[in-house]
Amino acid sequence: MPTSTPDALRDVSVIIVGAGFSGLGLGIQLRRRGESSFVILERADDVGGSWRDNTYPGVACDVPSPLYSYSFRTNPDWSRMFSPGQEIWDYLRAAAREEGLGPHLRFGAEMLEARWNENDHRWTVRTPQGEFYGDVLVAATGHLTDIKLPEVPGLETFTGELFHSARWNHDFPLAGKRIGVVGTGASAIQIVPQLAEIADQLVVFQRSAPYIQPRRDRVFSEAEKNLFRRDQRTVEEMREMLFWYNDSRFAARRLIDDYLAEASWQALSHLDKQVSDPELRAKLTPDYTIGCKRILLSDDYYPAIQRPNVHLEAAALERVEGSTAFSAAGEAFELDVLVVATGFETYDLPSSYRIFGRGGNALADHWSNGMQAYKSIATAGFPNLFLLNGPGTSLGHNSVIYMIEAQIDHLLAALDWRSAHDGRVLEVSSDIENAFAKRLDEGAAETVIIRGGCSSWYLDPRNGRATLSWPDFAHRFRDECAPFDPAAYDHGEQSAARA
């Protein structure tokens, strides 16, 4: 949206960077509390985060919609249990509009640099829309936003159409083309069935086979939606049922034998039922423990792989020469299109290279041995900086929105404490941060993410630490991380009075 000149929100109490679920959720809660001194900086031209960016065919959530939404803003109108991406994006846009966030949003305002000022104890954020000044900086940039391209020799020389799944080229006609899809993760297994319907030939490059369980999606009937509209408790009851069912699934990730066996049986029996060819089934059978990578949900991926125009290449894409893609198994494929569904920059966040704390130190340098933060929200050497959906928040068994809301509660309590104590600076010590990180590392060491025999985006390849993941039940994250304890923060400094 265009900004007025001069901008009334150029100097505020809280600067929020990012307008996805985290940034909007915090903004909504601030507005509901009557706060007005905050700005939300967004580099794109609309809200929505990854649900704005991912528009590929078949995009949908793999967490049930009643759970993958704000608890304080339930939606009775989801069309189905696992809603399409467009519905989730519409939900976020409606939330921003109806909760009055429009005046607080600044689009085209990418955070180019955020720097802590030692003299007045405030943050300065430089953007293409000018500089913004705030007492508190909230990094709500997420970790599924900056695309990651595979390191494949010759990829840049590909003579056909090349794009990442999160930057889909809707202007290029794909019908009748020879298409290659690189990757078999959560996005790829939604894309492949859609492309299989229209491609002349489709090649799927599979570095490692995923575990896939039945999706069990269904449409919500009009009668159900009418009930949800009349009685919000019915939505809340469904949320609670889904939450506790999903949270119980962490037991498998904790390598509890019975739960692990059940999770594996659900996936492998699904494979057996849908794929009869033993050779193909062998290629689609994972060689690691279930839960080491994200467990995927699909009812149409295996049938798509068996279509006559689809070839599963059970090997990574090794190199590209012109229009020819070569697999690590030595096979060559002539292609018109390459779709890379290879995920995002997760363990080494690009945003961390743009945030500078005490002494001008970059957050990326502080995290050179892996991302970490006290209660997954505060970092030593970076006063009045709070992280939402950052280190130690990812789940493979439940909804990240639940985690985000717990962090928002912590942050709101921190803001209340500052207001009651003359705006004092809040900063954790290295000892407190390291102690918390050590506990998470010790917990992760007992989970399948570390012990499951695979590499995944949950792990930092520089050190093998599971820096992204919360290694416990989701409800324990709220128990531990939502409460704000001022004793954990060094608040000896006092923010400079405003001019």
Side-chain angles (χ1 to χ4, degrees):
M1 60 174 284
T3 59
S4 59
T5 305
D7 191 335
L9 296 181
R10 189 69 65 184
D11 191 313
V12 293
S13 294
V14 181
I15 299 174
I16 303 168
V17 182
F21 262 106
S22 299
L24 294 181
L26 175 58
I28 289 169
Q29 295 292 38
L30 289 173
R31 279 282 297 173
R32 289 187 178 187
R33 286 157 49 108
E35 303 287 349
S36 59
S37 184
F38 69 93
V39 67
I40 303 175
L41 306 179
E42 170 55 54
R43 65 184 178 185
D45 59 0
D46 202 349
V47 302
S50 56
W51 296 105
R52 174 199 59 231
D53 297 339
N54 285 271
T55 61
Y56 59 79
V59 60
C61 193
D62 60 2
V63 175
S65 301
L67 189 57
Y68 194 83
S69 47
Y70 297 125
S71 65
F72 50 82
R73 192 181 167 87
T74 57
N75 178 21
D77 295 315
W78 294 120
S79 66
R80 55 195 314 118
M81 185 63 76
F82 296 95
S83 291
Q86 182 67 48
E87 280 190 41
I88 301 171
W89 187 20
D90 288 344
Y91 167 82
L92 287 170
R93 288 193 287 185
R97 181 178 63 254
E98 295 169 8
E99 297 283 351
L101 294 185
H104 297 271
L105 287 160
R106 298 294 180 269
F107 296 120
E110 180 177 8
M111 177 182 68
L112 302 176
E113 179 186 274
R115 192 170 290 274
W116 174 252
N117 188 308
E118 302 275 8
N119 295 322
D120 61 11
H121 303 148
R122 305 188 75 215
W123 285 93
T124 300
V125 179
R126 182 167 56 86
T127 80
Q129 305 294 333
E131 291 186 341
F132 292 82
Y133 309 93
D135 302 324
V136 171
L137 175 64
V138 180
T141 53
H143 48 253
L144 300 179
T145 53
D146 295 289
I147 63 173
K148 183 175 185 178
L149 296 175
E151 295 180 1
V152 174
L155 185 65
E156 72 284 356
T157 71
F158 182 59
T159 55
E161 186 70 17
L162 169 70
F163 52 85
H164 191 279
S165 58
R167 302 292 184 268
W168 199 268
N169 184 357
H170 292 278
D171 295 327
F172 187 83
L174 296 173
K177 297 295 194 295
R178 300 167 299 177
I179 305 173
V181 174
V182 183
T184 52
S187 296
I189 69 159
Q190 295 180 344
I191 292 168
V192 166
Q194 304 297 315
L195 295 184
E197 296 281 347
I198 61 173
D200 176 53
Q201 299 173 29
L202 179 62
V203 180
V204 180
F205 293 92
Q206 173 190 276
R207 185 176 57 180
S208 64
Y211 281 96
I212 301 177
Q213 294 179 341
R215 189 169 182 81
R216 299 190 179 98
D217 194 10
R218 69 175 183 85
V219 172
F220 285 121
S221 68
E222 285 304 314
E224 285 179 300
K225 288 189 278 190
N226 285 333
L227 177 61
F228 296 155
R229 295 181 192 115
R230 287 197 308 268
D231 187 355
Q232 184 176 331
R233 289 175 302 174
T234 59
V235 182
E236 294 168 351
E237 288 167 0
M238 179 175 282
R239 280 180 63 93
E240 186 157 344
M241 179 272 292
L242 290 167
F243 174 82
W244 288 109
Y245 167 74
N246 279 291
D247 221 29
S248 71
R249 296 166 57 219
F250 176 75
R253 296 168 71 83
R254 189 60 175 74
L255 298 168
I256 305 300
D257 289 342
D258 289 349
Y259 290 90
L260 193 66
E262 171 64 19
S264 183
W265 177 84
Q266 286 187 32
L268 297 180
S269 64
H270 183 50
L271 173 60
D272 288 345
K273 289 175 183 176
Q274 290 204 322
V275 181
S276 58
D277 184 307
E279 184 178 348
L280 179 59
R281 193 165 60 236
K283 292 179 179 179
L284 291 165
T285 301
D287 60 358
Y288 52 88
T289 305
I290 190 168
C292 187
K293 295 177 182 284
R294 188 175 183 85
I295 300 172
L296 308 181
L297 305 177
S298 178
D299 295 322
D300 56 3
Y301 177 73
Y302 288 146
I305 287 292
Q306 296 170 85
R307 290 174 61 100
N309 64 326
V310 178
H311 172 75
L312 176 68
E313 179 64 5
L317 176 64
E318 186 174 64
R319 72 182 193 281
V320 175
E321 296 179 5
S323 63
T324 308
F326 295 87
S327 77
E331 298 295 324
F333 302 92
E334 288 294 318
L335 300 174
D336 304 308
V337 181
L338 259 178
V339 178
V340 290
T342 48
F344 303 87
E345 298 288 354
T346 53
Y347 68 87
D348 190 20
L349 298 181
S351 60
S352 68
Y353 290 83
R354 301 182 178 193
I355 299 176
F356 299 87
R358 290 195 184 279
N361 294 322
L363 185 57
D365 292 335
H366 182 69
W367 282 349
S368 60
N369 193 41
M371 289 192 300
Q372 61 182 47
Y374 166 71
K375 298 291 180 73
S376 299
I377 200 169
T379 307
F382 294 81
N384 288 359
L385 170 67
F386 295 92
L387 312 166
L388 296 181
N389 195 18
T393 57
S394 291
L395 299 170
H397 65 283
N398 217 324
S399 174
V400 72
I401 312 305
Y402 178 87
M403 311 291 274
I404 291 169
E405 289 189 17
Q407 292 193 294
I408 289 174
D409 287 350
H410 182 111
L411 178 46
L412 293 175
L415 295 178
D416 287 343
W417 189 93
R418 290 189 74 252
S419 295
H421 293 82
D422 300 320
R424 289 187 180 274
V425 169
L426 290 173
E427 180 183 2
V428 297
S429 69
S430 294
D431 288 345
I432 287 176
E433 177 192 311
N434 290 333
F436 185 81
K438 181 180 179 183
R439 286 180 47 224
L440 294 196
D441 287 343
E442 290 171 349
E446 301 302 318
T447 68
V448 68
I449 291 176
I450 297 292
R451 297 170 58 185
C454 77
S455 61
S456 75
W457 62 268
Y458 296 117
L459 297 178
D460 188 331
R462 297 172 296 185
N463 47 51
R465 294 174 61 200
T467 54
L468 276 170
S469 297
W470 173 251
D472 207 336
F473 295 93
H475 73 271
R476 289 184 177 163
F477 182 88
R478 171 166 284 284
D479 292 344
E480 182 162 357
C481 297
F484 169 75
D485 177 10
Y489 288 84
D490 176 10
H491 39 75
E493 294 179 344
Q494 185 169 345
S495 294
R498 291 247 186 121

